[in-house]
Amino acid sequence: MVVVFTTSVTRAGNMDTQALCSALLSGRTRFALVITDPGGRLVSANSAAQTLFGLHSGLVGAELTCMFTDRQRHLGLLDSEMQDALVHGGAVETRLYRHAESGIERWFEAELSPLFDAAGAHLGYLRIAQDVNERYLSDETMRRHAGIDQLTGLLNRRAFYEKIDQYVALNARAPKCVILHLIDLDLFKDVNDTLGHASGDAVLREIALRLKSVTRETDYVGRLGGDEFAVLQTGTSSLLEGGYLARKLVTLCRQPVYLHNHEVKLSASIGIATYPDDSRVPAELLRKADLALYRVKSDGRDNYCYFTEALDEKAKLHGEHVAAVREAVRLRQFHLEYQPIMSARDSSIGRAEALLRCDHGLLKDLPILEVLELLRNSGSMCEMSRWIVAQACRDAEAWRKQGYPPVQVAINLCARELSTTDIVAVIETALREHGLASTYLSVELTEHDVLDSKGTGLEVIMALRALGVSISLDDFGTGCASLEYLTSLPVDVLKLDRTFVAGLPDDAISAKVVVAMIGLAHSLGLRIVAEGVETVRQRDYLLAQTCDELQGFFISAPLNAAAFSRFRARLDAPVRHGA
Ligand code: C2E
Ligand code: CA
Ligand code: CA
């Protein structure tokens, strides 16, 4: 509702706007009428509003948030609803309001309308509210009993699961196909984070409406929680109908949602499992639809996928791998290999990178990146990193006792450890226990790790440098950090990613990029290491371009601690270039 004070009304009644307002507010009505200025501050209220909300004359000029609940205030509801009313006019909503004096909260049906004068100037807002507390509460109890999700009006999780149970039981004798869709909104968290929870709720309501709009009477639509929805398609004659519906749902969810002048773009991922083909057990159907959903998510979202046995096999294998990695951590079935890093100046090996290897029977042939992912997912990465730090220091101590001059050992850390400042203490203790000077330890991090560590990364880097540990930026060139960000990072060494080295020296683009990066590092006063040096031509090109250090199979593959000692023993006489 948009209220306009037209001059014809004021003239006809021979009243000005102010008088009309007072007349309106003095009328006898059980509706609470509240007028605010454009900023949401109280101008006047009728007697019902005084009784229902405690809005007495002493509050004139105060923000109307005094009749809002803490949560509404926290969500900035007043501003968003005023903006909404200006754009879309008034809409009736059921709301909890608070009595300004007693603090008692009750449910109201309320409408907020903007007020304009005849010239179109925005005068403020009129809020009309009616107490519906008793009715609302009894309806709510009913809704809860009926298994309705409060926010969207769809079935809630419990009621939806009951529907699956019912259908499975119903079809036990003469199985008809029932199709379960698990729907997850992609990146919905961003909506909540950037636009606030009230907007997030509005998006969920809109999605619920869309899901309802394309499903049939015989289908059940539920909200399982958060941004997870589900559809149970019954009465279908073919499994293909699952795909038809899922395609429609995916397309619909892709349409933008408009909220307070914001265009919110979303997409949905859908996993499908079918009864009785995939399983006759409700919990299994859910698990299988979830596996299919997971597959869609890992394949880039915004799509749907049917469950397949291959997914199940993969999930089972994953389960075995997770158990194996836990066992490997418990039994310390790991060792470190060391890849020599050669100085370009005199071909000496002053540094080595420690690389993790897993010795568990089931995992030893997996790429180490997969084992690392398993460690992260099973929550063991921090424990492993503590072991890696200690083991690297132990090996370095052993080499020193064997009489080799010390080498600097570089260990890799990832975002997870950077998020816990604990790692600084772990490193400090390990250095002390093994009598290693901090200059003989270095830490390698990627730009992603620093960015993903949510601010604590920088703190950890500073603390490590204060300790005397040097920092290398790993896989340099593959990240997406801005140059400005990069130059502000306190690091000592850049490690040029091997993808750039691979094309050297013939690939003109790689060659240009490498030259530019070496120049960039040097102009920032940093040393640069080329990774993945595999051929003599690559080495010679990099040396000609004044790259500081080289690492790669051409110098040596990673070696276990004993082999690394032997490698150094052989290097007693310095290696000559081109030898
Ligand atoms: P990265 O830090 O870039 O490590 C260098 C990787 O390049 C190693 O692979 C090494 O074996 C490989 N490599 C070395 N020279 C050459 C070469 O000339 N050609 C080619 N094609 N590859 C070469 P690896 O050991 O499989 O490690 C892969 C990644 O796993 C590492 O990449 C690192 O990011 C991570 N990683 C390894 N160990 C650890 C660890 O202890 N902790 C953490 N957080 N990450 C680790
Ligand atoms: Ca590394
Ligand atoms: Ca690297």
Side-chain angles (χ1 to χ4, degrees):
M1 181 176 85
V2 176
V3 182
V4 179
F5 291 91
T6 66
T7 37
S8 61
V9 170
T10 50
R11 246 189 251 122
N14 208 14
M15 287 196 274
D16 61 10
T17 311
Q18 202 98 47
L20 185 65
C21 269
S22 350
L24 180 70
L25 295 180
S26 66
R28 285 181 161 272
T29 166
R30 63 200 164 83
F31 289 95
L33 304 177
V34 182
I35 293 179
T36 58
D37 68 9
R41 281 172 292 272
L42 181 65
V43 173
S44 51
N46 71 349
S47 64
Q50 291 182 25
T51 316
L52 293 171
F53 304 131
L55 296 177
H56 53 78
S57 55
L59 288 171
V60 167
E63 268 217 352
L64 208 64
T65 45
C66 61
M67 59 179 271
F68 280 52
T69 65
D70 289 345
R71 181 174 143 80
Q72 290 165 344
R73 270 187 262 192
H74 176 70
L75 294 174
L77 185 70
L78 180 62
D79 287 335
S80 64
E81 70 171 10
M82 288 194 303
Q83 206 188 351
D84 220 19
L86 269 185
V87 178
H88 304 293
V92 179
E93 296 210 38
T94 308
R95 279 267 156 79
L96 201 56
Y97 284 133
R98 179 176 173 276
H99 192 280
E101 281 175 337
S102 69
I104 292 173
E105 293 176 357
R106 293 174 69 82
W107 288 93
F108 288 83
E109 239 168 41
E111 183 187 46
L112 181 69
S113 309
L115 303 173
F116 298 98
D117 71 7
H122 180 208
L123 298 175
Y125 297 90
L126 170 66
R127 186 180 304 266
I128 304 177
Q130 176 190 14
D131 186 330
V132 294
N133 198 52
E134 271 71 35
R135 195 183 78 209
Y136 182 85
L137 291 182
S138 66
D139 284 359
E140 189 187 55
T141 318
M142 226 173 65
R143 276 195 298 273
R144 268 216 196 105
H145 279 300
I148 300 295
D149 170 53
Q150 305 283 312
L151 181 71
T152 59
L154 300 179
L155 294 180
N156 63 21
R157 178 186 286 267
R158 182 176 51 78
F160 188 84
Y161 284 5
E162 275 170 15
K163 286 286 170 230
I164 305 180
D165 289 346
Q166 271 172 22
Y167 267 83
V168 166
L170 203 69
N171 289 320
R173 290 234 181 100
K176 271 204 216 125
C177 152
V178 178
I179 303 173
L180 171 66
H181 301 249
L182 286 188
I183 306 163
D184 199 287
L185 295 184
D186 303 323
L187 311 176
F188 173 74
K189 195 177 159 293
D190 291 353
V191 179
N192 267 343
D193 289 351
T194 53
L195 299 176
H197 287 264
S199 300
D201 285 355
V203 168
L204 293 174
R205 274 197 293 264
E206 170 64 24
I207 294 294
L209 287 176
R210 293 183 189 180
L211 299 186
K212 279 299 260 184
S213 73
V214 284
T215 45
R216 296 200 202 138
E217 287 283 290
T218 49
D219 299 337
Y220 294 96
V221 188
R223 176 170 167 251
L224 306 184
D227 58 349
E228 279 175 63
F229 293 86
V231 173
L232 191 69
Q233 242 183 318
T234 69
T236 49
S237 50
S238 147
L239 285 182
L240 292 179
E241 286 184 42
Y244 294 144
L245 178 64
R247 229 182 338 267
K248 274 195 215 162
L249 295 174
V250 167
T251 311
L252 265 184
C253 291
R254 231 181 257 150
Q255 309 299 321
V257 178
Y258 294 96
L259 280 183
H260 315 306
N261 294 340
H262 283 285
E263 186 189 76
V264 181
K265 284 206 175 118
L266 287 170
S267 61
S269 299
I270 304 182
I272 305 175
T274 58
Y275 169 92
D277 286 20
D278 292 335
S279 175
R280 290 169 178 260
V281 182
E284 270 291 281
L285 267 185
L286 282 161
R287 186 183 72 83
K288 292 183 167 179
D290 204 39
L291 280 179
L293 173 62
Y294 183 77
R295 171 67 189 272
V296 178
K297 292 232 162 223
S298 52
D299 279 357
R301 312 187 176 100
D302 189 21
N303 208 343
Y304 71 92
C305 159
Y306 280 95
F307 165 79
T308 62
E309 284 306 323
L311 287 181
D312 212 17
E313 283 301 310
K314 217 173 135 193
K316 281 201 188 110
L317 190 63
H318 181 73
E320 286 167 17
H321 283 166
V322 169
V325 89
R326 291 218 171 98
E327 187 174 66
V329 170
R330 196 160 37 83
L331 302 176
R332 296 284 185 257
Q333 291 171 320
F334 290 92
H335 72 273
L336 291 181
E337 288 193 346
Y338 296 88
Q339 186 169 35
I341 301 177
M342 190 184 85
S343 155
R345 192 166 39 85
D346 57 6
S347 301
S348 63
I349 303 297
R351 306 200 305 125
E353 176 173 2
L355 295 159
L356 187 65
R357 298 293 178 255
C358 183
D359 304 320
H360 188 285
L362 201 62
L363 307 172
K364 64 179 191 307
D365 296 326
L366 283 189
I368 195 66
L369 283 171
E370 278 181 38
V371 177
L372 288 163
E373 192 58 25
L374 288 166
L375 283 167
R376 280 182 203 113
N377 292 341
S378 62
S380 313
M381 198 58 224
C382 287
E383 185 182 345
M384 262 330 281
S385 292
R386 278 197 286 276
W387 179 85
I388 291 167
V389 170
Q391 186 59 36
C393 292
R394 246 192 310 273
D395 288 337
E397 190 185 14
W399 295 325
R400 202 189 50 207
K401 286 187 176 155
Q402 287 161 14
Y404 291 104
V407 279
Q408 188 186 61
V409 177
I411 54 167
N412 292 280
L413 286 187
C414 48
R416 197 72 50 97
E417 292 95 50
L418 287 186
S419 314
T420 55
T421 36
D422 174 40
I423 191 72
V424 182
V426 168
I427 289 180
E428 204 173 358
T429 313
L431 288 172
R432 201 177 41 243
E433 278 178 5
H434 298 280
L436 202 66
S438 57
T439 43
Y440 290 114
L441 194 73
S442 152
V443 163
E444 299 195 358
L445 308 159
T446 66
E447 291 156 46
H448 282 298
D449 291 324
V450 182
L451 288 172
D452 289 353
S453 65
K454 302 195 178 77
T456 51
L458 209 57
E459 213 179 297
V460 172
I461 294 178
M462 303 293 245
L464 287 176
R465 288 189 96 209
L467 208 64
V469 172
S470 79
I471 310 286
S472 302
L473 198 59
D474 209 350
D475 304 346
F476 179 59
T478 57
C480 51
S482 71
L483 218 54
E484 188 191 348
Y485 174 76
L486 201 68
T487 50
S488 67
L489 265 187
V491 300
D492 308 277
V493 176
L494 297 185
K495 296 195 74 177
L496 183 57
D497 191 69
R498 63 172 176 272
T499 48
F500 299 105
V501 175
L504 294 182
D506 301 323
D507 179 59
I509 307 249
S510 296
K512 276 189 189 146
V513 171
V514 166
V515 172
M517 285 184 177
I518 293 174
L520 175 70
H522 287 164
S523 66
L524 293 174
L526 307 176
R527 275 181 298 140
I528 184 156
V529 182
E531 299 189 295
V533 182
E534 293 180 350
T535 67
V536 66
R537 293 180 71 221
Q538 287 170 346
R539 183 201 65 180
D540 290 346
Y541 184 84
L542 288 158
L543 290 181
Q545 299 307 325
T546 67
C547 183
D548 300 297
E549 287 169 287
L550 309 179
Q551 178 181 356
F553 295 160
F554 181 75
I555 290 98
S556 167
L559 305 166
N560 66 33
F564 184 70
S565 292
R566 288 197 295 276
F567 177 83
R568 296 190 70 200
R570 277 204 308 277
L571 277 189
D572 262 348
V575 179
R576 285 181 211 295
H577 298 164

